[in-house]
Amino acid sequence: MAKETKNALRRSILEKMLLTRAFEDRIAHLAAQKDRLPGMQILATGQEAAVAAVLALGPEDVIVTNHRSHAHLLARGATPQSLLAEIMGKETGVNHGKSGTLHMAVPHLNVLMTSTVVGAGPLLAMGAAFAQQYKEEDAVTMVFFGDGAAAEGSVHEAMNMAGVWHLPLLFVCENNCWAGAQSLKDHCSVSNIVTRAAGYGMPGKLVNGNDPDEILDTSLEMIARCRQGQGPALMELATYRMRGHGEYDHQEYVDPEEIAFWAQRDPIKLFRTRLEQDGVVDAAQAEVMYRDAEASIDAALEFADASPYPAPQAAFDHLWARAEEETGRI
Amino acid sequence: MQNLHTGVAIQNGLRLAMEMDDRVFLAGEGIGVSIHANPLMPTHGLLETFGPKRVRDTPVSEAAIAGLAVGASAMGLLPVVEIMFFPFITLASDMLVNHAAKLRYLSGGKTAFPLTVRVKAGVMSAGCQHSHNLETWLAHIPGLKVTFASTPADAKGLLLSAIFDPDPVIVVEEMGLYWTKGPVPPGDVRVPLGKAAIRRPGNDVTVVGYGGLMFAALEAAEKLEAEGVSVEVIDLRTLVPLDRETILESIARTGRLVIVHEATKFCGFGAELAALAAEEGFSSLSAPVRRVAGPDIPVPFSPPQEQFYMPNAQKIAEAVRSIM
Ligand SMILES: Cc1ncc(C[n+]2csc(CCOP(=O)(O)OP(=O)(O)O)c2C)c(N)n1
């Protein structure tokens, strides 16, 4: 990849990381206020470098995500308005308020599905990758799942079938050291998920999950491989969940030193500094990016607040294709 | 009697069972290191008391959790495993449906599965992959028993019966009820499986249901009383085995039946109860049977739609009025 193209990509990675952080910080702020947001809020603060994996894809490629989806969705081009409105259960939300925070899907951006059933994503993605292969498309599928999810049989089944059929599927395990309140060593029989790749006949690579450059390079390489019909691959992002499992969880079970250790490795701070050092952005440009991100979240919140709730009876919509036709939404 | 939250009543039941019998062990996702480190939660503090041999935090692996229960129970232990949210029981279903429920039968009575699955249910602003009442699915499987308590005393008493029952029992716990309080007898006071409770006697119409909606039914009964309608409220407590006698005896007196549940209506447990009334209580009926249930859609997330989904006292009262 030409240096300028690569640097343009790195700039957009920083931009989307800043947007994600601004979005999630705002959600954390709102969630702390009583009755401001319905339901639980699950953030990926500290895991923003995953944006680089999404931006390594082309528009024709597909992603499947999970309950910790904001970075993936925003990187793919979903608007903060449509996501925030969904999180509030508003009619203008990306899924008309049917999903809420947990299962947001944006198929027109090739965010094919989101499942909050832990470990289901890889199975769905395996089917999507099969369709891409079947239709002889050039496209690939990228699926995100956690270290905890890797314990589910569904993940192993997806990996095996993808391996046997050489499907164009990139498994991305975001190992954020925790599954709920359980640490990796308490839920995983080996020290890293990536060691499993060999068992399914695919390459696996453990990368620094707080370093967008490493993620970008590995993703580009693995995506190219998938596109050439060489079958699936597994990338493990070694990263950290800076907040609790959900916003109701105050991490009482976590050693504060561990959090402090990772705070030193904030992916946004590190990447911003590096891009400035590399002359890819200057300090003023980075500041503008930061402010633009904040402003777009302000606007999104205003939009979501002003949006109406869906009608109660519209609870019946979207069950069948037929009902969609009747309401003229297809 | 102690006045306890349902969550604490369940906790007491678990604690008691573990003290009484060291074959009892607990397993589930986050049941020991729970992020819900709230003293009102069912497994709070049990890891500290009984240690990691008997209180096992498992990986996120529902099939493995169920397999653990099936295999260990066949070896003579009394597993009490937890499924974090009801819809995730689908991942455990092979072990429960094709194995726990069938192998005693298949083996001509030579294997036994005295296991208990506690499953947390409820509609709680999380959308339909977390909220889905699947109790009828399980009730449909010959070989499984299913309980669904509404009061703290029943939550504890049914759980104790389930743990020491020789067969696999699915114990549904409605999470919203963890925070409600009621009188609970201390000690090993069990509620037998298969015995309904008459929560309120009445003469004009029988309202049958289970779980948190029993409180809505009682509220409706109160309102209707003021209108001159006497409502009998029956809490099933156990779906399988079903206490047919109590229901049939009640409709023999009232002549009318309204069935209440949160799960969707189509093929729901209410259909079984309506069929029971039609097949065995037809001559008692002086009006059509009515069902008040969730509409036939997944539970929507948006707050007004979630509210729309939920049956409530008003909908129950309307159903009663419609057959008076
Ligand atoms: C099948 C299933 N079981 C349990 C849960 C409850 N649950 C939600 S997130 C989670 C932990 C997942 O950990 P991991 O895959 O590492 O993802 P992370 O939350 O750390 O991003 C659990 C147990 C679920 N959503 N689905």
Side-chain angles (χ1 to χ4, degrees):
Chain A
M1 185 178 283
K3 193 157 176 222
E4 208 17 69
T5 321
K6 180 90 169 269
N7 281 339
L9 203 47
R10 294 169 83 204
R11 270 193 296 274
S12 5
I13 290 170
L14 180 61
E15 206 170 357
K16 293 293 189 184
M17 288 171 76
L18 286 164
L19 182 66
T20 303
R21 181 64 65 85
F23 186 80
E24 295 207 324
D25 281 354
R26 194 63 61 94
I27 288 181
H29 179 73
L30 294 171
Q33 298 164 35
K34 196 174 176 307
D35 296 332
R36 195 65 174 86
L37 298 179
M40 59 184 129
Q41 302 303 331
I42 295 191
L43 306 182
T45 309
Q47 303 177 216
E48 292 88 352
V51 156
V54 177
L55 291 190
L57 294 166
E60 71 287 1
D61 297 323
V62 158
I63 73 167
V64 172
T65 172
N66 63 359
H67 55 282
R68 221 174 282 285
S69 64
H70 301 145
H72 314 144
L73 298 172
L74 290 167
R76 200 61 197 168
T79 64
Q81 294 96 290
S82 65
L83 300 186
L84 198 52
E86 184 59 40
I87 287 167
M88 291 187 180
K90 298 296 182 82
E91 170 58 32
T92 53
V94 67
N95 303 120
H96 298 289
K98 289 291 195 309
S99 159
T101 187
L102 285 174
H103 340 67
M104 294 187 288
V106 200
H108 73 275
L109 297 174
N110 278 333
V111 181
L112 201 59
M113 282 179 274
T114 295
S115 176
T116 187
V117 179
V118 165
L123 284 180
L124 302 168
M126 189 270 297
F130 172 76
Q132 289 167 328
Q133 187 189 61
Y134 187 90
K135 294 194 277 183
E136 298 177 17
E137 286 177 0
D138 231 4
V140 308
T141 299
M142 178 180 282
V143 58
F144 292 95
F145 60 101
D147 47 295
E152 293 279 10
S154 51
V155 176
H156 298 260
E157 294 179 38
M159 287 182 173
N160 189 51
M161 200 127 118
V164 174
W165 289 354
H166 299 288
L167 299 179
L169 177 50
L170 183 51
F171 293 93
V172 182
C173 179
E174 290 186 80
N175 183 346
N176 60 15
C177 299
W178 291 95
Q182 267 189 300
S183 67
L184 185 73
K185 71 172 171 22
D186 292 327
H187 70 69
C188 187
S189 55
V190 284
S191 55
N192 278 101
I193 306 303
V194 75
T195 57
R196 294 183 186 169
Y200 301 108
M202 59 180 164
K205 194 161 176 198
L206 176 65
V207 308
N208 177 347
N210 284 23
D211 183 342
D213 280 324
E214 247 190 74
I215 297 174
L216 180 63
D217 288 342
T218 305
S219 301
L220 288 170
E221 190 187 308
M222 286 182 162
I223 290 165
R225 212 184 155 275
C226 281
R227 261 197 238 293
Q228 288 157 10
Q230 295 182 54
L234 168 63
M235 173 168 69
E236 178 175 356
L237 310 183
T239 183
Y240 193 72
R241 193 189 77 195
M242 286 302 294
R243 301 187 68 86
H245 176 72
E247 281 307 284
Y248 55 86
D249 166 17
H250 305 294
Q251 295 178 295
E252 269 112 12
Y253 50 87
V254 184
D255 181 350
E257 274 182 31
E258 180 177 305
I259 300 175
F261 173 88
W262 285 92
Q264 294 298 313
R265 284 153 187 78
D266 182 319
I268 297 184
K269 256 192 246 159
L270 293 178
F271 196 50
R272 185 171 166 169
T273 309
R274 189 189 296 158
L275 289 194
E276 288 180 18
Q277 279 165 357
D278 290 0
V280 176
V281 292
D282 61 32
Q285 286 167 331
E287 197 51 33
V288 169
M289 278 185 189
Y290 170 77
R291 278 166 209 251
D292 283 354
E294 290 291 329
S296 87
I297 304 306
D298 287 341
L301 182 57
E302 214 168 296
F303 170 84
D305 270 334
S307 293
Y309 283 109
Q313 287 77 3
F316 283 106
D317 291 357
H318 317 297
L319 182 63
W320 307 110
R322 185 72 193 285
E324 302 254 307
E325 283 163 24
E326 282 164 3
T327 54
R329 287 211 184 105
I330 251 179
Chain B
M1 286 283 180
Q2 301 157 284
N3 200 35
L4 300 179
H5 287 101
T6 304
V8 176
I10 295 168
Q11 205 185 86
N12 286 2
L14 291 170
R15 199 176 279 278
L16 196 61
M18 294 181 82
E19 280 162 5
M20 288 191 301
D21 194 325
D22 62 13
R23 292 175 301 163
V24 177
F25 74 95
L26 313 186
E29 294 162 18
I31 61 164
V33 295
S34 183
I35 26 188
H36 304 278
N38 186 309
L40 301 189
M41 293 296 282
T43 57
H44 180 81
L46 298 177
L47 174 64
E48 286 72 14
T49 311
F50 296 100
K53 180 183 171 201
R54 299 186 68 197
V55 179
R56 288 279 165 132
D57 277 310
T58 67
V60 192
S61 316
E62 289 76 11
I65 292 169
L68 172 79
V70 176
S73 63
M75 294 290 287
L77 298 186
L78 298 177
V80 184
V81 300
E82 177 178 299
I83 297 293
M84 197 184 264
F85 295 118
F86 212 160
F88 310 153
I89 205 160
T90 55
L91 283 86
S93 58
D94 173 52
M95 278 293 131
L96 299 178
V97 173
N98 297 322
H99 295 86
K102 288 178 185 160
L103 294 183
R104 173 191 286 274
Y105 186 79
L106 271 178
S107 67
K110 291 189 175 157
T111 50
F113 305 96
L115 64 91
T116 303
V117 181
R118 296 177 40 246
V119 50
K120 287 149 71 183
V123 169
M124 32 58 173
S125 299
C128 58
Q129 287 191 330
H130 278 68
S131 301
H132 196 167
N133 277 79
L134 293 170
E135 64 271 13
T136 312
W137 259 36
L138 298 160
H140 186 63
I141 309 303
L144 296 181
K145 297 175 179 173
V146 182
T147 73
F148 204 137
S150 71
T151 67
D154 283 356
K156 175 185 166 190
L158 288 167
L159 177 64
L160 281 165
S161 294
I163 292 173
F164 295 107
D165 190 90
D167 291 314
V169 186
I170 313 294
V171 175
V172 185
E173 293 173 6
E174 203 170 297
M175 282 178 286
L177 295 176
Y178 287 165
W179 324 110
T180 64
K181 262 182 149 174
V184 180
D188 183 16
V189 179
R190 301 187 194 181
V191 172
L193 304 184
K195 192 85 197 77
I198 297 179
R199 294 276 172 232
R200 176 190 171 110
N203 309 314
D204 299 330
V205 57
T206 301
V207 173
V208 179
Y210 50 88
L213 279 182
M214 286 295 89
F215 298 102
L218 290 170
E219 191 188 325
E222 195 99 354
K223 220 181 289 177
L224 290 159
E225 180 87 69
E227 296 168 24
V229 181
S230 164
V231 180
E232 176 146 302
V233 177
I234 295 178
D235 184 347
L236 288 180
R237 310 199 285 190
T238 310
L239 308 194
V240 184
L242 178 64
D243 184 353
R244 294 159 205 274
E245 293 67 35
T246 298
I247 302 166
L248 290 170
E249 191 276 324
S250 178
I251 58 172
R253 277 187 288 106
T254 63
R256 293 181 176 85
L257 177 61
V258 172
I259 301 151
V260 181
H261 57 66
E262 205 172 286
T264 48
K265 187 172 184 178
F266 188 79
C267 287
F269 201 70
E272 180 61 37
L273 298 173
L276 171 71
E279 284 182 345
E280 293 175 42
F282 187 69
S283 58
S284 320
L285 291 176
S286 55
V289 174
R290 290 272 185 259
R291 286 180 284 164
V292 181
D296 295 320
I297 48 174
V299 178
F301 168 79
S302 186
Q305 293 189 343
E306 195 180 71
Q307 225 169 349
F308 169 82
Y309 179 96
M310 281 298 289
N312 56 25
Q314 191 193 333
K315 291 175 192 171
I316 297 168
E318 274 163 25
V320 170
R321 288 187 200 108
S322 77
I323 54 168
M324 291 312 299

